[in-house]
Structures are given as C-alpha cells and as structure tokens.
Amino acid sequence: MLAAVFSLAGFAAEKWTGVNGAWVALLAFVLLYSLSVLDDRGVRSEIDWCFLVSFGALLGIGKVISESGITRKLAQVVAPGLGSVSEYPTLFLLVVATGMLVLRMALPVAPALLLAVLAVEPTAAAAGIHPLVVGLVILASANPWFLPSQNNVYLSLLAGTEGRLFHHRQTLPAAFAYAVAVYLAVVISVPCWKYLGLVK
C-alpha cells in the first residue's frame, strides 16, 4: 500500500516536481524490494521481464518516430488521398477511422495518433469538419486488438492472466465488433455534429 500511494502521488505531482514517472516507478520498486515484499527469487522468476521490456519499447517508439520526421513525410503522402472524399463528411470520417485501424497494425498508439492528426487535420479543416470531430474519430478507432500488441491494456491483461482466463483467438469476434461499433458511431454521430455546426 505504501508503494502504491507513493507511486500515485509521484505520478500526480510530476508536473510540479519535474521528476519523471520512470524514476517514481523505480523508487517504488526499490521500496518494495527493501521492505522484502519482493525477494531475489520473486524478482527473477515472478516478474515478466520480456513483457516489461517490450512494453517500454512500445511506449518510447512514439517519440523516436516523431523526432525523426517520418510522421511529417507520411502526412504529406496521405493528405492528398483524403481530399478526394472530403466533400462527403460521413465517407471522409469512415475513411479516417479505417485508416487509423490499419495504421495501428504497424505503429503503437502514440505515433499513430500523431501521424493521423497531422495527416487528416488540414484536409478536414478545408472540408469544414471541426478538429474535435476528427479527434473523436481518431481516438475511437485507436485501440483495436486484432493483434495483441496493438492495445497496451489488452496486452497487459493477456500477459497478466497468462492465458488462463482466455486466449487471443477467443477475443477476435469482439475486436471486429469493436471496429463495427466505431463505424456505426461515426455514421450515427454525423447528423448530430451537423446540427451542432461541427460538420458542414
């Protein structure tokens, strides 16, 4: 409990203290080890180090991709293709949702969100679609789990249960249902957004 309270306080106060969350997590780990909650055997055998390393790499790759300039170049390639459907708001937003679902097959959520916003926003603004609408559609379609690595929450649940609660193949119908729900939500929401003046 002490480690949990310390971690939550450290994460919440990061803005004011300037201490990165990674240092807070490391200090919480040291606290657990020093109080003998974790022992040598537990650290070696009961912690899924492969998952933690891959999870850390997934979180860090977003900054690497954005700093390299790849997102800017890809946005320049994608934007002209969106212009051909910009006259039809529903179709445009469905294409955006589909593009985000496909993009998440290749990229983690952080760089995929960045790329999608950079690629879509200029064309959407020219088509009279408010940035809030674009952001909602991109966020709604940003967390599929057709592949386990696409969704960090799902991946941690899958790793945490060690395959005893369910197998990935069993969740695929729900993953496809999620994609269909995103499409239906877009189609249903466009008239509401038009009424609110968020879509011309």
Side-chain angles (χ1 to χ4, degrees):
M1 283 299 293
L2 181 62
V5 170
F6 170 78
S7 299
L8 290 174
F11 295 147
E14 181 178 349
K15 181 178 172 183
W16 297 284
T17 61
V19 177
N20 191 287
W23 289 109
V24 174
L26 181 62
L27 288 172
F29 176 80
V30 170
L31 182 63
L32 289 172
Y33 187 79
S34 64
L35 295 176
S36 299
V37 176
L38 291 172
D39 56 12
D40 290 340
R41 186 183 62 80
V43 170
R44 283 194 302 268
S45 62
E46 294 179 13
I47 295 177
D48 190 347
W49 289 105
C50 293
F51 169 73
L52 287 177
V53 171
S54 63
F55 186 72
L58 284 173
L59 290 177
I61 198 171
K63 190 167 185 181
V64 172
I65 290 176
S66 63
E67 292 291 330
S68 69
I70 294 173
T71 51
R72 198 164 42 252
K73 291 175 184 174
L74 286 175
Q76 292 170 354
V77 172
V78 172
L82 289 172
S84 60
V85 293
S86 61
E87 295 180 13
Y88 311 98
T90 303
L91 181 59
F92 178 84
L93 293 171
L94 288 174
V95 169
V96 170
T98 303
M100 190 61 184
L101 289 170
V102 171
L103 191 60
R104 289 288 285 111
M105 294 279 192
L107 293 176
V109 67
L113 286 171
L114 179 62
L115 175 60
V117 170
L118 289 175
V120 172
E121 186 51 42
T123 310
I129 299 174
H130 196 277
L132 175 65
V133 172
V134 174
L136 287 174
V137 172
I138 289 173
L139 284 172
S141 52
N143 288 299
W145 63 94
F146 301 114
L147 303 173
S149 59
Q150 287 182 291
N151 191 310
N152 291 334
V153 175
Y154 173 76
L155 186 61
S156 61
L157 181 63
L158 191 63
T161 57
E162 299 176 352
R164 290 177 294 193
L165 187 61
F166 60 90
H167 296 287
H168 174 64
R169 186 175 294 178
Q170 294 173 308
T171 69
L172 286 176
F176 283 101
Y178 167 79
V180 171
V182 169
Y183 291 139
L184 288 175
V186 169
V187 171
I188 292 168
S189 299
V190 167
C192 300
W193 289 328
K194 284 184 177 179
Y195 177 77
L196 295 171
L198 299 174
V199 173
K200 287 186 180 177

